[in-house]
Every structure is written in C-alpha cells, then in structure tokens.
Amino acid sequence: MLLPFPLEDRYYRYSYFLRKKFGTKVYKIGVDAGFTCPTRDGTLGTRGCLYCNNLSFSVDRRKGLKSVKEQIRESIEKLKERKKADKFLVYFQAYTNTYAPVEKLEKLYAEALSFKDVVGLCIGTRPDCVNDEILKILSDLNKDYFISVEYGVESVYDKNLDWAQRGHDFKTSVMAIEKTKRYGLDVAAHIIFGFPGETKSEILMSAEKINVLPVDSIKVHNLHVVKNTPLEYYYGSNPFKLFSEEEWIEIIADFLEKLRPDIVIQRLIGEAKNNTLVAPNWKRSKSWILNEIRNTLEKRGTFQGCKYNID
Ligand code: SF4
C-alpha cells in the first residue's frame, strides 16, 4: 500500500501534511472573533452543548476581547520569536465562526488574510451553520489561500448527538461536508469518543462512516468532563465510565487501523486546562500518550489504514 506518510510515523500527522504542503513549518493561530452559537443565543438553546465549557462563554472573559487583527499580530510576533515560525494559518476557533451576517464574515476573514505570513484560514463551525453564500465566499478565498472548514460532527450516532444536546443530527454533518467539498474546500471533522454507553464496536464503526465522506482531516478527542458545563452536573449525579489512558491508547490504535490512510490526523486526545478538568484524571502527558499510540501501532506492525475496507 502506498502511504501518504512515512511508515515510521504510523499515522498521517498534521505537522507532516503542513510541511509537505507549504514547504515550511506552519503554525495555527487560534482567534476568538466574538461569535456565539445557536445552542447559546436561544435559537436552539441557551446553555450550550452538554460538554462545552461555559466558563469560556463568560461575559467577563470576553470583556476586553482584542480585535482579530490584534490577536493575530500578537501571536505572530510571539511564534516568530519563540518557535522561529515562518507561516501561519488563522484558526477561527471559539464558538461558531460562520454564525453571523455574511458581510461581517467577509470582513473578518479578509482581516485575517491581510497579514503577509498568513497562508490560510481554518474555520471552526457547526454543520447546521453554513450555506451556499458562505461557502461561495470561502471558495473564492480558496483560489489564493488554503481554506479549511472544521465541522463539529462530534459523533456519527444521533443518540450521542441528542444526549449532548447538539441540536443537529449526523445527516446534517454528512450534507454539510459533501456540500463543502463540492465548493473545493478542505474539510476537517471533529469527533468525540466515549459517550455514555458507546461501545467499542460503535467507535470502530465510526471509522467506516467517516471513510466514505470527503473528509481531509480529523480531530479526535475523548469525552471529558469540564467544570461549569451542564455535563459536570450530569456527571455528578449520573457518573459514567470514561476512558482510562491505557484504554484510550488501545482504542485509538484500533480506530486508526480502520481509518482511510489519506485522512490527516490533527488531534488524537482531548485537552482541557488543568484547573477546569473534572474527569478523567489522567496522569500522563499528552506527548506520552501520543507516543504510546505510535508505539502500540509499531509493536503490532500496523499503521493508519492497514485495515481500511477490511471487515
Ligand atoms: S460545543 Fe461548539 S456549538 Fe456547542 S456550545 Fe460549544 S462552541 Fe457552541
């Protein structure tokens, strides 16, 4: 099998993809452009999705939010100095970054692309918050820049989406991903594993459902309980099993073996600031766990996609 990544990596790392694409080290700069979400502004709800940290939604945190241009300028300065970085992707990360009038979106995206070292945008959004008008704007920008739309798919199972109070189903994700690809854009999917009662075979079956979609990259993370979320209160009275580090390493290795080999892996582990995490209480560092995932695949003599399309 001809792999798009070095076999010693065992899976298609995002850093490898970026270096190949741009010929240099490219860093992602996260910005908060002051958006909201339909699950917060009353359209679909007011409390946000079940697991989403409402601390980050606090008005206080956003008081004094710097302009997008200022956020980018500061990040570029820091990264150039600390990491000797050359090029940057601006990641519209917080909340739903297509959830505003198109004029506002156009202005914000153009501001981000006005920096000479910015080579593209990654736009985090919900699958129910895009339309042809927005995708047309992005596809026009895509002629000169790398434009990626990152969808919060979260699960391929509606029972999990309902439980998480996402306000959309998996079919909506499928339609948004397919439509976005028709506009020639790069598509990323965010997936969570470890919903209450979710079985190993359901998780592995997720790979098959993702494999048939025109997805270019994915971010996977374990469900974790974060302070000041509706989930914190739910978990307090209905504790359920969360993945241990060892279980996560094994299940992710299994999942990667079944995943299409050309899907770039942006993330394989959830991250919450230490002081906000309620559970699970993992002791190992992110880099140790990622290393163990690679080691596990190596010990097995396997790699991403080795079981793609094999029952
Ligand atoms: S998970 Fe995403 S869509 Fe849901 S409340 Fe949080 S930012 Fe909004």
Side-chain angles (χ1 to χ4, degrees):
M1 183 188 289
L2 190 61
L3 296 173
F5 54 88
L7 179 60
E8 61 266 29
D9 285 355
R10 301 287 156 181
Y11 62 86
Y12 198 174
R13 289 178 308 125
Y14 190 52
S15 55
Y16 179 82
F17 161 79
L18 289 178
R19 188 174 273 279
K20 284 284 262 189
K21 179 161 186 64
F22 295 102
T24 186
K25 207 161 192 177
V26 176
Y27 280 84
K28 230 165 153 177
I29 298 172
V31 294
D32 180 346
F35 289 100
T36 183
C37 306
T39 42
R40 280 193 34 77
D41 70 357
T43 305
L44 293 172
T46 53
R47 297 186 339 146
C49 305
L50 198 71
Y51 46 76
C52 195
N53 182 354
N54 280 297
L55 254 191
S56 59
F57 293 139
S58 84
V59 176
D60 282 350
R61 195 186 82 86
R62 292 189 123 189
K63 257 184 213 165
L65 187 65
K66 292 177 179 164
S67 73
V68 163
K69 271 194 148 177
E70 226 171 314
Q71 292 176 52
I72 297 170
R73 189 175 300 112
E74 284 182 5
S75 296
I76 288 181
E77 272 170 24
K78 268 188 220 150
L79 285 165
K80 282 202 163 193
E81 195 185 308
R82 286 188 204 156
K83 308 266 186 186
K84 307 283 172 245
D86 292 321
K87 298 289 173 198
F88 306 91
L89 291 170
V90 174
Y91 179 21
F92 283 85
Q93 182 174 20
Y95 314 87
T96 301
N97 294 276
T98 54
Y99 194 49
V102 281
E103 300 72 29
K104 180 178 171 183
L105 297 177
E106 264 187 302
K107 184 170 172 287
L108 282 169
Y109 302 156
E111 271 177 25
L113 291 168
S114 67
F115 289 81
K116 77 172 172 42
D117 292 325
V118 169
V119 291
L121 305 178
C122 303
I123 295 167
T125 189
R126 294 168 52 93
D128 55 354
C129 289
V130 287
N131 57 37
D132 286 288
E133 207 178 354
I134 294 168
L135 292 172
K136 172 80 175 65
I137 289 168
L138 294 176
S139 87
D140 286 344
L141 295 174
N142 196 41
K143 289 172 190 152
D144 298 312
Y145 299 95
F146 173 74
I147 307 293
S148 178
V149 184
E150 298 197 9
Y151 285 114
V153 174
E154 314 305 7
S155 178
V156 303
Y157 302 109
D158 288 345
K159 61 175 181 172
N160 295 337
L161 297 170
D162 289 345
W163 177 84
Q165 296 164 18
R166 287 284 302 174
H168 66 80
D169 57 9
F170 178 57
K171 193 167 167 234
T172 305
S173 295
V174 172
M175 289 190 308
I177 288 168
E178 287 176 343
K179 184 183 256 206
T180 305
K181 201 29 105 179
R182 285 200 291 276
Y183 276 89
L185 296 158
D186 181 275
V187 180
H190 296 200
I191 300 281
I192 298 173
F193 293 143
F195 290 98
E198 192 174 41
T199 63
K200 182 177 174 184
S201 68
E202 283 173 336
I203 289 175
L204 298 185
M205 184 67 82
S206 299
E208 288 168 29
K209 292 186 182 268
I210 295 164
N211 286 342
V212 296
L213 296 175
V215 164
D216 298 288
S217 68
I218 59 166
K219 287 182 177 173
V220 183
H221 78 77
N222 53 305
L223 184 66
H224 52 210
V225 182
V226 176
K227 283 182 190 164
N228 296 300
T229 60
L231 183 55
E232 180 186 13
Y233 301 102
Y234 176 92
Y235 186 75
S237 45
N238 309 275
F240 57 91
K241 168 109 183 59
L242 292 161
F243 279 110
S244 68
E245 288 142 301
E246 291 71 22
E247 288 168 335
W248 187 249
I249 290 162
E250 287 296 316
I251 195 96
I252 288 300
D254 294 343
F255 172 76
L256 287 172
E257 288 174 356
K258 290 184 87 68
L259 192 69
R260 233 175 51 220
D262 63 298
I263 295 179
V264 179
I265 309 298
Q266 292 206 43
R267 188 201 291 160
L268 286 176
I269 189 169
E271 282 182 283
K273 290 195 181 89
N274 272 341
N275 59 354
T276 64
L277 189 65
V278 174
N281 185 16
W282 288 3
K283 303 286 183 225
R284 310 286 195 164
S285 68
K286 179 184 160 192
S287 58
W288 187 89
I289 293 170
L290 290 177
N291 218 23
E292 273 312 290
I293 292 170
R294 261 191 299 274
N295 288 342
T296 302
L297 291 167
E298 194 177 332
K299 273 184 225 147
R300 294 179 184 181
T302 61
F303 50 85
Q304 179 183 342
C306 67
K307 294 183 183 165
Y308 167 51
N309 267 350
I310 299 174
D311 288 337

Coordinates of all heavy atoms in Angstrom, one line a residue, residues 246-299:
E246 N -4.8 3.9 29.3 CA -4.5 2.7 28.6 C -5.6 2.3 27.6 O -5.3 1.9 26.5 CB -4.3 1.5 29.6 CG -3.0 1.7 30.5 CD -3.2 2.8 31.5 OE1 -4.3 3.2 31.9 OE2 -2.1 3.3 32.0
E247 N -6.8 2.4 28.0 CA -7.9 2.1 27.1 C -7.9 3.0 25.9 O -8.2 2.6 24.8 CB -9.3 2.2 27.9 CG -9.5 1.2 28.9 CD -10.7 1.5 29.8 OE1 -11.0 2.7 30.0 OE2 -11.3 0.6 30.4
W248 N -7.6 4.3 26.1 CA -7.7 5.2 25.0 C -6.6 4.9 24.0 O -6.8 4.9 22.8 CB -7.5 6.7 25.6 CG -7.6 7.7 24.5 CD1 -6.7 8.5 24.0 CD2 -8.8 8.1 23.8 NE1 -7.2 9.3 23.0 CE2 -8.5 9.1 22.9 CE3 -10.2 7.6 23.9 CZ2 -9.5 9.7 22.1 CZ3 -11.1 8.2 23.1 CH2 -10.8 9.2 22.2
I249 N -5.4 4.6 24.4 CA -4.3 4.2 23.5 C -4.7 3.0 22.7 O -4.5 3.1 21.4 CB -3.0 3.9 24.4 CG1 -2.5 5.2 25.0 CG2 -1.9 3.3 23.5 CD1 -1.6 5.0 26.1
E250 N -5.3 2.0 23.3 CA -5.7 0.8 22.5 C -6.8 1.1 21.5 O -6.7 0.7 20.3 CB -6.2 -0.3 23.5 CG -5.1 -0.9 24.3 CD -4.0 -1.7 23.4 OE1 -4.5 -2.4 22.5 OE2 -2.8 -1.5 23.6
I251 N -7.8 1.8 22.0 CA -9.0 2.1 21.1 C -8.6 3.0 19.9 O -9.0 2.8 18.8 CB -10.2 2.6 21.8 CG1 -11.5 2.4 21.0 CG2 -10.1 4.0 22.3 CD1 -12.3 1.3 21.2
I252 N -7.7 3.9 20.2 CA -7.3 4.9 19.1 C -6.4 4.1 18.1 O -6.5 4.3 16.9 CB -6.6 6.1 19.7 CG1 -7.6 7.0 20.3 CG2 -5.9 6.9 18.6 CD1 -8.8 7.5 19.4
A253 N -5.6 3.2 18.6 CA -4.8 2.4 17.7 C -5.7 1.6 16.8 O -5.5 1.5 15.6 CB -3.8 1.5 18.5
D254 N -6.7 1.0 17.4 CA -7.7 0.2 16.6 C -8.4 1.0 15.6 O -8.6 0.7 14.4 CB -8.8 -0.4 17.6 CG -8.2 -1.5 18.5 OD1 -7.1 -2.0 18.3 OD2 -8.9 -1.8 19.5
F255 N -8.8 2.2 16.0 CA -9.5 3.2 15.1 C -8.7 3.6 14.0 O -9.1 3.6 12.8 CB -10.0 4.4 16.0 CG -10.6 5.5 15.2 CD1 -11.9 5.4 14.7 CD2 -9.8 6.6 14.9 CE1 -12.4 6.4 13.9 CE2 -10.4 7.7 14.2 CZ -11.7 7.6 13.7
L256 N -7.4 3.9 14.2 CA -6.5 4.4 13.2 C -6.3 3.3 12.1 O -6.2 3.6 10.9 CB -5.2 4.8 13.8 CG -5.2 6.2 14.5 CD1 -3.9 6.4 15.2 CD2 -5.5 7.3 13.6
E257 N -6.2 2.1 12.6 CA -6.0 0.9 11.7 C -7.2 0.9 10.6 O -7.0 0.5 9.5 CB -5.9 -0.4 12.4 CG -4.6 -0.5 13.2 CD -4.6 -1.8 14.0 OE1 -5.6 -2.5 14.1 OE2 -3.5 -2.1 14.7
K258 N -8.4 1.3 11.1 CA -9.5 1.2 10.2 C -9.8 2.4 9.4 O -10.6 2.4 8.4 CB -10.8 0.8 11.0 CG -10.8 -0.6 11.6 CD -12.0 -0.9 12.3 CE -13.1 -1.4 11.4 NZ -12.9 -2.7 10.8
L259 N -9.1 3.5 9.8 CA -9.4 4.8 9.1 C -8.6 4.9 7.8 O -7.5 4.5 7.6 CB -8.9 6.0 10.0 CG -9.3 7.4 9.7 CD1 -10.8 7.5 9.9 CD2 -8.6 8.4 10.5
R260 N -9.3 5.6 6.8 CA -8.7 5.8 5.5 C -7.3 6.4 5.7 O -7.1 7.4 6.4 CB -9.6 6.7 4.7 CG -10.0 6.2 3.3 CD -10.9 7.2 2.6 NE -10.5 8.6 2.6 CZ -11.3 9.6 2.8 NH1 -12.5 9.5 3.1 NH2 -10.8 10.8 2.8
P261 N -6.3 5.9 5.0 CA -4.9 6.3 5.2 C -4.6 7.8 4.8 O -3.7 8.4 5.2 CB -4.0 5.3 4.4 CG -5.0 4.7 3.5 CD -6.3 4.7 4.0
D262 N -5.5 8.3 3.9 CA -5.2 9.7 3.4 C -5.9 10.8 4.3 O -5.8 11.9 4.0 CB -5.7 9.9 2.0 CG -7.2 9.7 1.8 OD1 -7.7 8.6 2.2 OD2 -7.9 10.6 1.5
I263 N -6.5 10.4 5.4 CA -7.1 11.4 6.3 C -6.1 11.8 7.3 O -5.5 11.0 8.0 CB -8.4 10.8 7.0 CG1 -9.5 10.4 6.0 CG2 -8.9 11.8 8.1 CD1 -10.7 9.8 6.6
V264 N -5.8 13.1 7.2 CA -4.8 13.7 8.1 C -5.3 13.8 9.5 O -6.5 14.1 9.8 CB -4.4 15.1 7.6 CG1 -3.3 15.7 8.5 CG2 -3.9 15.1 6.2
I265 N -4.4 13.4 10.5 CA -4.8 13.4 11.9 C -4.3 14.7 12.6 O -3.1 14.9 12.8 CB -4.2 12.2 12.6 CG1 -4.5 10.9 11.9 CG2 -4.7 12.1 14.1 CD1 -5.9 10.5 11.7
Q266 N -5.3 15.5 12.9 CA -4.9 16.8 13.6 C -4.8 16.6 15.1 O -4.1 17.4 15.7 CB -6.0 17.9 13.3 CG -6.1 18.3 11.9 CD -6.6 19.8 11.8 OE1 -6.2 20.6 12.6 NE2 -7.5 20.0 10.8
R267 N -5.6 15.7 15.6 CA -5.6 15.6 17.1 C -6.1 14.2 17.5 O -7.0 13.7 16.8 CB -6.5 16.7 17.7 CG -6.4 16.7 19.2 CD -7.6 17.4 19.8 NE -7.8 18.8 19.5 CZ -8.9 19.4 19.6 NH1 -10.0 18.8 20.0 NH2 -9.0 20.7 19.4
L268 N -5.5 13.6 18.5 CA -5.9 12.3 19.0 C -6.3 12.3 20.5 O -6.4 11.2 21.1 CB -4.8 11.3 18.7 CG -4.7 10.9 17.2 CD1 -3.5 9.9 17.1 CD2 -6.0 10.3 16.7
I269 N -6.4 13.4 21.1 CA -6.6 13.4 22.5 C -7.3 14.8 22.9 O -7.0 15.8 22.3 CB -5.2 13.3 23.2 CG1 -5.4 13.1 24.7 CG2 -4.3 14.4 23.0 CD1 -4.1 12.6 25.3
G270 N -8.2 14.7 23.8 CA -8.9 15.9 24.3 C -8.0 16.7 25.2 O -7.1 16.2 25.9
E271 N -8.2 18.0 25.2 CA -7.3 18.9 26.1 C -8.3 19.9 26.8 O -9.1 20.5 26.2 CB -6.3 19.7 25.3 CG -5.1 18.8 24.9 CD -4.1 19.7 24.1 OE1 -4.3 20.0 23.0 OE2 -3.1 20.1 24.8
A272 N -8.1 19.9 28.1 CA -8.8 20.9 28.9 C -7.7 21.5 29.9 O -6.9 20.8 30.3 CB -9.9 20.3 29.7
K273 N -7.9 22.8 30.1 CA -6.9 23.4 31.1 C -7.0 22.6 32.4 O -8.2 22.3 32.8 CB -7.2 24.9 31.2 CG -6.9 25.7 30.0 CD -6.8 27.1 30.3 CE -6.5 27.9 29.1 NZ -7.7 28.3 28.3
N274 N -5.9 22.4 33.0 CA -5.9 21.6 34.3 C -6.9 22.0 35.3 O -7.5 21.2 35.9 CB -4.5 21.6 34.9 CG -3.6 20.5 34.3 OD1 -4.2 19.6 33.8 ND2 -2.3 20.7 34.4
N275 N -7.0 23.3 35.5 CA -7.9 23.8 36.6 C -9.3 23.7 36.2 O -10.2 24.1 37.0 CB -7.5 25.2 37.0 CG -7.5 26.2 35.9 OD1 -7.8 25.8 34.7 ND2 -7.3 27.4 36.1
T276 N -9.6 23.3 34.9 CA -11.0 23.2 34.6 C -11.5 21.7 34.4 O -12.7 21.5 34.3 CB -11.3 23.9 33.2 OG1 -10.6 23.2 32.2 CG2 -11.0 25.3 33.2
L277 N -10.6 20.8 34.5 CA -10.9 19.4 34.2 C -11.5 18.7 35.5 O -10.9 18.8 36.6 CB -9.7 18.6 33.7 CG -9.9 17.2 33.3 CD1 -10.8 17.2 32.0 CD2 -8.6 16.5 33.0
V278 N -12.6 18.0 35.3 CA -13.2 17.3 36.5 C -12.8 15.8 36.3 O -12.4 15.2 37.3 CB -14.7 17.4 36.5 CG1 -15.4 16.5 37.5 CG2 -15.1 18.9 36.6
A279 N -12.9 15.2 35.1 CA -12.6 13.8 34.9 C -12.5 13.6 33.4 O -13.1 14.4 32.6 CB -13.7 12.9 35.4
P280 N -11.7 12.6 33.0 CA -10.9 11.6 33.8 C -9.6 12.3 34.2 O -9.1 13.2 33.6 CB -10.6 10.5 32.8 CG -10.6 11.2 31.4 CD -11.5 12.3 31.5
N281 N -9.1 11.7 35.3 CA -7.9 12.3 35.9 C -6.7 11.6 35.4 O -6.1 10.8 36.1 CB -8.0 12.2 37.4 CG -6.9 12.9 38.1 OD1 -6.2 13.7 37.5 ND2 -6.7 12.5 39.4
W282 N -6.3 11.8 34.1 CA -5.2 11.2 33.5 C -3.9 11.8 34.1 O -3.8 13.0 34.3 CB -5.2 11.3 32.0 CG -6.2 10.5 31.3 CD1 -7.2 9.7 31.9 CD2 -6.5 10.4 29.9 NE1 -8.0 9.1 31.0 CE2 -7.6 9.5 29.7 CE3 -5.9 11.0 28.8 CZ2 -8.1 9.2 28.4 CZ3 -6.4 10.7 27.5 CH2 -7.4 9.8 27.4
K283 N -2.9 10.9 34.3 CA -1.6 11.3 34.9 C -0.6 11.6 33.9 O 0.4 12.3 34.1 CB -1.1 10.2 35.8 CG -2.0 9.8 36.9 CD -2.1 10.8 38.0 CE -3.0 10.4 39.2 NZ -3.9 11.4 39.6
R284 N -0.7 11.0 32.7 CA 0.4 11.1 31.7 C 0.2 12.3 30.9 O -0.9 12.8 30.7 CB 0.3 9.8 30.8 CG 0.3 8.5 31.5 CD 1.7 8.2 32.1 NE 1.7 6.8 32.5 CZ 2.8 6.2 32.7 NH1 4.0 6.8 32.7 NH2 2.8 4.9 33.1
S285 N 1.3 12.8 30.3 CA 1.2 14.0 29.4 C 0.7 13.6 28.0 O 0.7 12.4 27.7 CB 2.6 14.5 29.2 OG 3.4 13.6 28.4
K286 N 0.2 14.6 27.4 CA -0.3 14.4 26.0 C 0.8 13.8 25.1 O 0.5 12.8 24.4 CB -0.7 15.8 25.5 CG -1.3 15.7 24.1 CD -1.5 17.2 23.6 CE -1.6 17.2 22.1 NZ -1.6 18.5 21.5
S287 N 2.0 14.3 25.2 CA 3.0 13.7 24.3 C 3.3 12.3 24.6 O 3.6 11.5 23.7 CB 4.3 14.6 24.3 OG 4.8 14.6 25.7
W288 N 3.2 11.9 25.9 CA 3.5 10.5 26.3 C 2.4 9.6 25.6 O 2.7 8.5 25.1 CB 3.5 10.3 27.8 CG 3.9 9.0 28.3 CD1 5.1 8.5 28.5 CD2 3.0 7.8 28.5 NE1 5.1 7.2 28.9 CE2 3.8 6.7 28.9 CE3 1.6 7.6 28.4 CZ2 3.3 5.5 29.2 CZ3 1.1 6.4 28.6 CH2 1.9 5.3 29.0
I289 N 1.2 10.0 25.7 CA 0.1 9.2 25.2 C 0.2 9.1 23.7 O 0.0 8.0 23.1 CB -1.3 9.8 25.6 CG1 -1.4 9.7 27.1 CG2 -2.5 9.1 24.9 CD1 -2.6 10.4 27.8
L290 N 0.5 10.2 23.0 CA 0.7 10.2 21.5 C 1.8 9.2 21.2 O 1.7 8.4 20.2 CB 0.9 11.6 21.0 CG -0.3 12.5 21.1 CD1 0.1 13.9 20.6 CD2 -1.5 12.0 20.3
N291 N 2.8 9.3 21.9 CA 4.0 8.4 21.7 C 3.6 6.9 21.9 O 4.0 6.0 21.1 CB 5.1 8.7 22.7 CG 6.4 8.6 22.0 OD1 6.5 8.7 20.8 ND2 7.4 8.4 22.8
E292 N 2.8 6.7 22.9 CA 2.3 5.3 23.2 C 1.4 4.8 22.1 O 1.4 3.6 21.7 CB 1.6 5.2 24.5 CG 2.5 5.0 25.7 CD 3.5 3.8 25.4 OE1 3.1 2.7 25.4 OE2 4.7 4.1 25.3
I293 N 0.6 5.7 21.5 CA -0.3 5.3 20.4 C 0.6 4.8 19.2 O 0.4 3.8 18.6 CB -1.2 6.4 19.9 CG1 -2.2 6.7 21.0 CG2 -1.9 6.1 18.6 CD1 -3.1 8.0 20.9
R294 N 1.7 5.6 18.9 CA 2.6 5.2 17.8 C 3.3 3.9 18.2 O 3.4 3.0 17.4 CB 3.7 6.3 17.6 CG 3.3 7.3 16.5 CD 4.5 8.2 16.1 NE 4.9 9.0 17.2 CZ 4.4 10.2 17.5 NH1 3.4 10.7 16.7 NH2 4.8 10.9 18.5
N295 N 3.8 3.8 19.5 CA 4.5 2.6 19.9 C 3.6 1.4 19.7 O 4.0 0.3 19.4 CB 4.9 2.7 21.3 CG 6.1 3.6 21.5 OD1 6.7 4.0 20.5 ND2 6.4 4.1 22.7
T296 N 2.3 1.5 20.1 CA 1.3 0.4 20.0 C 1.2 -0.1 18.6 O 1.2 -1.3 18.3 CB 0.0 0.9 20.6 OG1 0.2 1.3 21.9 CG2 -1.1 -0.3 20.6
L297 N 1.1 0.9 17.7 CA 0.9 0.5 16.3 C 2.2 -0.2 15.8 O 2.2 -1.2 15.1 CB 0.6 1.7 15.4 CG -0.8 2.3 15.6 CD1 -0.9 3.7 15.0 CD2 -1.9 1.4 15.0
E298 N 3.3 0.4 16.2 CA 4.6 -0.2 15.8 C 4.8 -1.6 16.3 O 5.1 -2.5 15.6 CB 5.8 0.7 16.3 CG 7.1 0.3 15.7 CD 8.2 1.3 16.1 OE1 7.9 2.4 16.5 OE2 9.3 0.8 16.1
K299 N 4.4 -1.8 17.6 CA 4.5 -3.2 18.2 C 3.6 -4.2 17.4 O 3.9 -5.3 17.3 CB 4.1 -3.2 19.7 CG 5.3 -2.8 20.6 CD 4.8 -2.9 22.0 CE 5.3 -1.7 22.8 NZ 4.5 -1.3 23.9

